Amino acid sequence: MKLATIKNNSRDGQLVVVSRDLTKAVKVPEIAHTMQEALDNWDDISPKLEKVYDQLQNNTLSNTFDFDSKEAMAAIPRAYHWADGSAYVTHVELVRKARNAELPETFWTDPLMYMGASDAFIGANEDIKIEKEEWGIDFESEVAVITDDVPAGVNAENAQKHIKLVAIINDVSLRNLIPNELAKQFGFYQSKPWTTFSPVVVTPDELDDAWSNAKVHLPLISTLNSKVIGSPNAGIDMTFDFGQLIAHAAKSRSLMAGSVIGSGTVANQGSPNGSSCLAEVRCLEIIKDGKPSTPFMSFDDRIEIEMKNKKGETIFGKIDQVVKQYDPIN
């Protein structure tokens, strides 16, 4: 099943069911008005949404409309919880190698995770608005899952049962603001602007055999200004699967329905398939040449992020964003 949230006159948008090929959609206010409402009552509501999805696939509905990804908001425009992991430890290892820093052994057994801003996610075609280029603008292509209610202390195996939806995201980073924040030893804040969602989210079964062991075994393609930066396989070198990430997040407290858990930047060991962020590209350059040659993003740069199935068909639709400067209001 594929779902999306489209624009209306509210902050939370209108839940719609979307056809597999992303061409048609149907509103379902009689079932749920918003994505959060559906997640709050998933066991009762999801079978009803699945029925509509089947009808949509069979062309038996008369109230459909053409789906336009530009009208899509983030699938869940504001969430109760957003936590991003760093499941691809090979990525962290590379970054540390570039600055001659040791990787603690615990990084391979205990996930890194930070809590991000969930008061507003943005849609796949919305601009990335940043005040200054010198902040070091970077994209980060990731996979994310959305959960129902997760009990505190859940183990990794049972945590997988709480994964209801899967998405791809762009977790934008402001690289030149990160060092000062981390030096305070209190995590990211200013260096993490709003995160972007793919046009649609899907239930894990929609991924067929590409969804295995709580991982998505497909390439995640990142294209900057028409140049493919990378297409690493999200199922390879993922040290911690989504069950483990959810269990980590729920170690000491329960998670509310609608919690979003990110994978961190998708990376493959040795980067044979390219990279999912410019920071990794620059690290490889530092290791090879002693200095980076690739700049971070500039205003008017365009980043596209997409994942396709084995038939070459888009699964989540495409994240397609342009970096724009905003003027602060004083």
Side-chain angles (χ1 to χ4, degrees):
M1 176 169 60
K2 297 191 176 187
L3 303 173
T5 296
I6 61 171
K7 299 172 184 175
N8 61 8
N9 294 322
S10 73
R11 292 190 180 193
D12 297 310
Q14 169 72 60
L15 174 67
V16 296
V17 180
V18 183
S19 62
R20 182 168 287 119
D21 62 5
L22 307 187
T23 61
K24 297 291 182 180
V26 59
K27 298 177 183 178
V28 286
E30 70 283 0
I31 299 175
H33 291 88
T34 67
M35 189 73 71
Q36 185 63 53
E37 183 181 347
L39 289 161
D40 283 340
N41 305 279
W42 189 256
D43 289 345
D44 176 55
I45 286 178
S46 61
K48 299 174 184 177
L49 295 174
E50 287 279 5
K51 183 177 180 179
V52 172
Y53 184 64
D54 291 340
Q55 293 172 327
L56 187 59
Q57 290 302 112
N58 295 327
N59 296 312
T60 58
L61 297 174
S62 60
N63 57 338
T64 64
F65 60 92
D66 293 338
F67 180 69
D68 182 357
S69 62
K70 293 180 181 178
E71 291 300 311
M73 304 171 69
I76 183 163
R78 47 182 176 172
Y80 290 114
H81 193 75
W82 156 228
D84 197 21
S86 190
Y88 300 87
V89 179
T90 182
H91 168 73
V92 183
E93 185 178 41
L94 177 65
V95 171
R96 287 188 166 241
K97 181 180 179 181
R99 64 173 193 260
N100 295 314
E102 289 289 328
L103 183 76
E105 282 299 317
T106 55
F107 279 37
W108 295 100
T109 57
D110 189 32
L112 287 170
M113 187 169 283
Y114 82 92
M115 187 186 296
S118 63
D119 54 328
F121 293 110
I122 60 176
N125 293 101
E126 293 187 54
D127 292 338
I128 301 170
K129 296 181 180 179
I130 306 295
E131 183 183 343
K132 299 177 181 179
E133 285 182 343
E134 52 263 38
W135 286 350
I137 308 164
D138 198 0
F139 66 90
E140 288 193 58
S141 304
E142 305 186 12
V143 179
V145 299
I146 306 176
T147 74
D148 62 1
D149 290 312
V150 180
V154 67
N155 63 38
E157 182 179 358
N158 287 329
Q160 294 184 24
K161 302 173 185 176
H162 295 280
I163 298 170
K164 301 307 173 187
L165 296 167
V166 185
I168 58 174
I169 61 173
N170 181 12
D171 182 42
V172 177
S173 287
L174 302 176
R175 297 295 184 185
N176 293 338
L177 297 186
I178 288 176
N180 285 342
E181 290 206 293
L182 292 185
K184 298 176 183 178
Q185 298 184 357
F186 214 56
F188 302 125
Y189 193 85
Q190 293 176 335
S191 51
K192 285 291 185 178
W194 284 337
T195 297
T196 308
F197 258 85
S198 50
V200 303
V201 293
V202 309
T203 48
D205 62 285
E206 195 69 29
L207 297 165
D208 296 322
D209 61 357
W211 177 257
S212 177
N213 299 317
K215 303 177 184 180
V216 181
H217 296 262
L218 289 169
L220 184 57
I221 309 162
S222 303
T223 304
L224 179 63
N225 297 328
S226 301
K227 177 185 177 181
V228 176
I229 301 299
S231 57
N233 192 303
I236 297 175
D237 297 321
M238 189 179 187
T239 307
F240 306 104
D241 64 42
F242 279 109
Q244 292 171 298
L245 293 177
I246 293 168
H248 180 84
K251 178 176 181 177
S252 58
R253 63 174 181 228
S254 57
L255 307 179
M256 297 298 100
S259 291
V260 182
I261 306 294
S263 66
T265 307
V266 175
N268 293 162
Q269 187 173 12
S271 304
N273 301 308
S275 302
S276 296
C277 67
L278 294 177
E280 184 170 297
V281 173
R282 289 165 60 89
C283 285
L284 289 167
E285 292 168 346
I286 291 171
I287 293 169
K288 180 176 179 289
D289 303 321
K291 62 181 181 179
S293 55
T294 298
F296 288 121
M297 297 173 75
S298 301
F299 297 135
D300 296 323
D301 278 356
R302 184 175 196 166
I303 178 65
E304 300 168 85
I305 303 169
E306 189 173 21
M307 181 176 279
K308 298 179 180 180
N309 62 22
K310 295 176 181 178
K311 297 178 181 179
E313 302 162 333
T314 189
I315 299 172
F316 305 95
K318 182 188 291 186
I319 293 174
D320 186 354
Q321 298 180 281
V322 176
V323 180
K324 291 293 184 182
Q325 185 174 27
Y326 73 78
D327 294 320
I329 298 174
N330 295 316

